[in-house]
């Protein structure tokens, strides 16, 4: 029995890791994937429902043919930079992901923690002729976050800046930047603690029967 429980524990951990290792937090449908017109930071705002660790920052690219290196960042509701990295072709550590269900994207691993109850903004820098999606028809998010309106920055800037202008909540504006998440390490700790407790209980029962 103890051997079976240990085996079950190992299988549960193995099954849990891929499920939580990389959660793409936002997907969308529809929209027009076309070149942008000017230098600008575009993105979207979101509310964090449960504390999580950011695994990577993304940039949507359905074919993998966008040659641009994009600066992508997350800011908190006070306007402070939380994390920033280069995403896309030519960026160190960036890789292309062909996803069977979600839009294809570039991703670059990062390390950051976003706290439950707080609002954040994710944005990426685009330039003339740099393609991205405008006016998606619908968005879907993981329960970790709640989608808020799209954000856009001033035209003609020369570098990444926090996008502070809001679209209407009914309009899904621009999509380029995205993020993926891993759960808090406490998830695995709680799983291990629970299974360890179960093993101890079984061991005690076996000893009691042998007396």
């Amino acid at each position: 029995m103890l051997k079976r429980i240990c085996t079950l524990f190992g299988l549960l951990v193995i099954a849990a890791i891929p499920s939580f290792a990389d959660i793409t937090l936002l997907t969308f449908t529809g929209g027009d994937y076309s070149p942008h017109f000017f230098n600008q930071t575009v993105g979207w705002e979101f509310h964090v429902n449960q504390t999580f660790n950011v695994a990577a920052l993304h940039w949507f690219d359905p074919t993998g043919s966008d040659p641009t290196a994009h600066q992508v960042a997350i800011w908190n509701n006070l306007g402070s930079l939380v994390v920033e990295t280069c995403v896309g072709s030519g960026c160190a550590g960036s890789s292309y992901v062909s996803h069977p269900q979600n839009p294809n994207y570039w991703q670059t691993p990062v390390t950051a923690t976003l706290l439950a109850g707080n609002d954040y903004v994710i944005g990426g820098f685009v330039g003339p002729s740099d393609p991205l999606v405008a006016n998606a028809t619908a968005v879907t998010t993981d329960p970790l976050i709640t989608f808020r309106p799209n954000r856009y920055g001033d035209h003609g800037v020369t570098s990444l800046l926090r996008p502070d202008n809001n679209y209407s909540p009914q309009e899904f504006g621009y999509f380029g930047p995205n993020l993926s998440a891993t759960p808090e390490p406490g998830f695995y700790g709680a799983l291990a603690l629970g299974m360890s407790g179960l093993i101890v209980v079984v061991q005690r029962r076996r000893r009691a029967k042998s007396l």
Side-chain angles (χ1 to χ4, degrees), residues 34-58:
S34 59
H36 202 52
F37 301 107
F38 30 70
N39 292 342
Q40 189 179 28
T41 300
V42 298
W44 41 279
E45 180 183 348
F46 60 98
H47 179 79
V48 173
N49 302 316
Q50 178 184 332
T51 297
F52 64 87
N53 297 320
V54 181
L57 297 184
H58 299 183

Side-chain angles (χ1 to χ4, degrees), residues 85-109:
T85 193
C86 179
V87 184
S89 176
C91 296
S94 203
S95 59
Y96 188 68
V97 178
S98 297
H99 201 286
Q101 284 133 0
N102 301 330
N104 298 338
Y105 55 88
W106 292 92
Q107 68 171 9
T108 304

Side-chain angles (χ1 to χ4, degrees), residues 26-31 133 135-141 147 170 172 175:
L26 181 143
T27 59
F28 57 85
T29 56
V133 168
N135 300 318
T137 55
V139 298
T140 303
T141 60
F147 175 77
Q170 288 76 38
F172 295 134
F175 286 103

Side-chain angles (χ1 to χ4, degrees), residues 6-183:
C6 291
T7 301
L8 177 60
F9 171 60
L11 291 174
L12 284 172
V13 171
I14 292 171
I17 289 174
S19 298
F20 288 90
D22 191 351
I23 307 166
T24 299
L25 294 189
L26 181 143
T27 59
F28 57 85
T29 56
D32 175 34
Y33 183 70
S34 59
H36 202 52
F37 301 107
F38 30 70
N39 292 342
Q40 189 179 28
T41 300
V42 298
W44 41 279
E45 180 183 348
F46 60 98
H47 179 79
V48 173
N49 302 316
Q50 178 184 332
T51 297
F52 64 87
N53 297 320
V54 181
L57 297 184
H58 299 183
W59 188 268
F60 171 69
D61 180 3
T63 64
S65 60
D66 184 355
T68 308
H70 301 91
Q71 287 301 122
V72 179
I74 297 174
W75 297 264
N76 63 22
N77 55 359
L78 299 177
S80 299
L81 183 67
V82 175
V83 63
E84 178 183 354
T85 193
C86 179
V87 184
S89 176
C91 296
S94 203
S95 59
Y96 188 68
V97 178
S98 297
H99 201 286
Q101 284 133 0
N102 301 330
N104 298 338
Y105 55 88
W106 292 92
Q107 68 171 9
T108 304
V110 295
T111 300
T113 300
L114 304 187
L115 303 177
N118 290 342
D119 295 329
Y120 295 89
V121 172
I122 182 170
F125 188 73
V126 293
S129 301
D130 190 7
L132 77 168
V133 168
N135 300 318
T137 55
V139 298
T140 303
T141 60
D142 184 88
L144 286 174
I145 66 170
T146 300
F147 175 77
R148 296 283 174 79
N150 278 91
R151 294 285 198 99
Y152 64 95
D154 294 335
H155 301 171
V157 297
T158 57
S159 62
L160 181 76
L161 296 172
R162 186 177 187 264
D164 288 327
N165 303 304
N166 279 340
Y167 279 107
S168 162
Q170 288 76 38
E171 185 174 5
F172 295 134
Y174 298 126
F175 286 103
N178 200 356
L179 69 159
S180 58
T182 56

